[in-house]
Amino acid sequence: MRRTKILATIGPASESKEVLSKMVDAGLNAVRCNFSHGTADDHRKRVQLIREVAKEKGVYIGILADLQGPKIRVAKFKDGKVLLKNGDTFILDAEMDKAAGDEKSVGIDYKELPNDVKKGDVLLLDDGKIVLTVAKVEGAKVHCKVTVGGKLSNNKGINKKGGGLTAPALTEKDKEDIKTAAALEVDYVAVSFPRDAKDMEYARKLLLESGSEAGVVAKVERTEAVANIEEIIKASDAIMVARGDLAVEIGDENVPAAQKMIIRLTRELDKVVITATQMMESMITSSTPTRAEVSDVANAVLDGTDVVMLSAESAAGDYPVETVSAMSRVCEAAENSNLVHIVSKDNVTRHHDRVDEAVASAAVYLANHVDAKAIISLTESGSTALWMSRINTHLPIYALSRNRMTLGKMTLYRGVVPIEFDSTRMARFYVNREASLELEKRGIVKAGEWMVLTSGDHMGVHGGTNKIKVIQAGNVV
């Protein structure tokens, strides 16, 4: 069983029932709805389709709503684009008409830019393809010298090298989109460009006020986010290493080390980590990935990432199904190699503050040292399954829960398979037997095979896991 999860962006190339069904068959675990594009009605239709396909397939497919975040971009040019030459002067003007840009100046969406920069600052446009050095700031105008020129077209992004732009992570549009995401009952909401834990806490507050307990995902895209990474991880349910904007801000040469550090720390703090951006970029137009892309995905798996993500490859590419299939093969091969050694923070001498966490740790240790076929976690909140997924094991973890939100969140947990199962509807002394029968019916285990099961004395109670039992399929009492 492949343990690393695949998250794919849904767009024009993949929003038909036929294609989405094939992507699920190819190994899709969760989908990303990009709120930078489309209307609330567009997202509603996609979510309905995703749930329809998942129901037909008998699986859970997680849904992540990705907020747009602040638009730090140039406005538009009269001719759609301009050519900037090295040594030219170019003005970013916060008061200029949004469609009047030319070779001398252009408007900007982010009106606070003149207050955030000073002489000598370096601005990177269009993912760093264009480099400007600030010469002076006069009122609403930022006068720049073109250091690295090229073609610049409408609405391209602006980054400040080294970070420091004060734009809030959540815009008014994002706040409305949070309400939409809550109404759609998505499993996760991703926050773009958070700077610190307060941004994530605010997003969670808005979700709760909208009636949603969706997990919050921090997209690490700013220099400030890397500096505040530990507090951001603690305030979030998941972290996304968003390597596009991050590379522009900290330098692409620094991204690999940052990625490894973030994956390691996120796992240590018992949170989910997603690795994203250009993982199989060439498959937008090619039916096979490059060798470098294969190595990139494999190395993320070897580092211990929970999830690998596809963006334009699945949203707008020519081969969305083939891309998911290729990514699945690479993940599985990396997991099966002799090089896999994800450093686990867990060991037999570690002290646990919570009984249910200690039970999760002990269950995996036990399963690793007996001839077990699988681990079963009867869980209400999913915490036991999450803790289990942080510990090295080759065994699949089947997380049985009645809670729809819990099942959705667990679609991104490494090595965890969520299964709907309501233990509160049966007599307590039948629960273990019914859990075993559930796996037997699905062809996961056969009569006589051993499993390690965790549960609580009181079913349906958060944090109540306090028991471990070794059971044998076909012989559970």
Side-chain angles (χ1 to χ4, degrees):
M1 180 190 107
R2 172 173 50 81
R3 304 182 64 77
T4 309
K5 301 302 182 73
I6 296 176
L7 170 66
T9 306
I10 298 302
S14 50
E15 59 188 358
S16 73
K17 186 174 182 180
E18 180 185 6
V19 172
L20 195 55
S21 295
K22 290 179 179 178
M23 289 170 69
V24 173
D25 290 339
L28 180 68
N29 301 109
V31 299
R32 168 180 174 254
C33 295
N34 187 355
F35 275 47
S36 295
H37 307 287
T39 64
D41 193 50
D42 292 333
H43 300 307
R44 188 173 295 107
K45 290 176 182 177
R46 286 171 179 168
V47 167
Q48 289 173 349
L49 178 61
I50 291 158
R51 291 193 170 130
E52 181 183 336
V53 170
K55 186 175 181 179
E56 289 180 3
K57 296 290 183 182
V59 297
Y60 262 85
I61 300 295
I63 300 174
L64 180 148
D66 194 340
L67 303 178
Q68 177 176 282
K71 291 176 66 177
I72 306 175
R73 303 175 186 276
V74 300
K76 295 182 179 180
F77 297 95
K78 287 182 287 188
D79 297 325
K81 61 183 177 181
V82 295
L83 177 63
L84 301 182
K85 299 177 182 177
N86 292 5
D88 284 354
T89 58
F90 191 66
I91 299 173
L92 302 175
D93 189 345
E95 294 180 347
M96 188 174 180
D97 184 278
K98 288 187 175 182
D102 56 25
E103 290 83 359
K104 297 295 182 182
S105 59
V106 69
I108 48 178
D109 291 320
Y110 178 51
K111 305 305 181 184
E112 293 300 312
L113 184 66
N115 298 323
D116 286 353
V117 299
K118 63 184 185 304
K119 181 180 179 180
D121 284 345
V122 176
L123 299 177
L124 304 155
L125 280 57
D126 192 11
D127 289 336
K129 296 182 180 69
I130 306 292
V131 181
L132 309 178
T133 301
V134 177
K136 62 180 178 179
V137 179
E138 288 184 343
K141 294 180 172 61
V142 180
H143 296 258
C144 303
K145 181 178 180 180
V146 179
T147 307
V148 177
K151 291 181 181 179
L152 180 63
S153 55
N154 297 340
N155 303 317
K156 295 302 182 183
I158 303 171
N159 292 84
K160 180 183 174 186
K161 188 174 183 179
L165 298 181
T166 60
L170 293 173
T171 65
E172 292 305 313
K173 178 186 185 304
D174 294 329
K175 294 173 186 177
E176 289 302 312
D177 285 343
I178 282 176
K179 295 177 183 177
T180 300
L184 295 175
E185 298 183 323
V186 302
D187 304 299
Y188 291 95
V189 171
V191 179
S192 298
F193 301 102
R195 295 162 296 185
D196 50 34
K198 291 180 181 178
D199 286 335
M200 302 310 300
E201 291 163 357
Y202 185 42
R204 192 185 299 278
K205 176 176 177 288
L206 293 177
L207 272 169
L208 291 171
E209 289 174 352
S210 299
S212 172
E213 294 183 357
V216 291
V217 181
K219 295 171 65 178
V220 181
E221 301 174 281
R222 284 177 162 174
T223 303
E224 295 90 335
V226 177
N228 299 320
I229 190 61
E230 186 167 346
E231 68 172 65
I232 289 176
I233 294 172
K234 290 178 179 177
S236 307
D237 297 287
I239 296 295
M240 183 188 294
V241 189
R243 303 179 301 180
D245 282 286
L246 182 61
V248 177
E249 290 233 346
I250 70 172
D252 51 12
E253 70 278 6
N254 295 313
V255 169
Q259 174 179 314
K260 289 177 182 293
M261 177 273 292
I262 293 168
I263 291 174
R264 176 186 57 78
L265 186 57
T266 305
R267 286 180 57 86
E268 285 182 0
L269 294 173
D270 292 326
K271 302 298 174 72
V272 171
V273 59
I274 304 164
T275 305
T277 315
Q278 296 180 328
M279 298 216 81
M280 291 203 162
E281 185 89 350
S282 72
M283 291 194 74
I284 293 173
T285 56
S286 171
S287 61
T288 58
T290 67
R291 302 298 179 266
E293 289 165 345
V294 169
S295 294
D296 181 36
V297 173
N299 277 313
V301 173
L302 295 173
D303 288 340
T305 193
D306 291 278
V307 186
V308 285
M309 193 182 97
L310 297 169
S311 297
E313 303 99 323
S314 57
D318 296 334
Y319 302 96
V321 176
E322 292 84 353
T323 304
V324 172
S325 181
M327 181 170 265
S328 181
R329 291 195 306 272
V330 174
C331 290
E332 194 167 349
E335 292 166 1
N336 292 335
S337 75
N338 293 327
L339 298 175
V340 177
H341 181 64
I342 302 163
V343 177
S344 173
K345 70 170 190 177
D346 214 90
N347 59 70
V348 293
T349 62
R350 179 177 171 230
H351 174 77
H352 295 278
D353 294 324
R354 294 181 53 160
V355 170
D356 46 357
E357 185 177 3
V359 169
S361 174
V364 177
Y365 180 84
L366 176 61
N368 281 342
H369 289 79
V370 299
D371 190 22
K373 181 73 172 178
I375 301 171
I376 300 175
S377 169
L378 298 176
T379 180
E380 184 71 13
S381 68
S383 295
T384 305
L386 177 60
W387 287 320
M388 288 177 175
S389 73
R390 305 301 86 186
I391 306 168
N392 289 347
T393 179
H394 67 284
L395 296 171
I397 301 162
Y398 295 96
L400 278 56
S401 180
R402 62 176 182 154
N403 190 314
R404 190 206 64 78
M405 181 63 75
T406 296
L407 291 163
K409 287 181 179 178
M410 293 191 298
T411 58
L412 295 189
Y413 296 180
R414 185 182 176 109
V416 174
V417 180
I419 297 175
E420 186 173 5
F421 181 85
D422 190 351
S423 59
T424 65
R425 293 188 176 182
M426 58 194 75
R428 186 184 304 170
F429 47 82
Y430 287 136
V431 171
N432 291 355
R433 186 177 72 182
E434 291 299 318
S436 177
L437 286 172
E438 184 69 36
L439 266 63
E440 291 176 57
K441 285 189 297 184
R442 293 169 178 262
I444 295 168
V445 293
K446 297 178 291 187
E449 292 181 325
W450 294 96
M451 296 166 282
V452 173
L453 180 146
T454 64
S455 61
D457 285 329
H458 303 287
M459 297 299 170
V461 177
H462 286 248
T465 299
N466 61 1
K467 295 189 297 188
I468 304 173
K469 189 168 186 178
V470 180
I471 62 175
Q472 188 178 37
N475 189 32
V476 182
V477 294

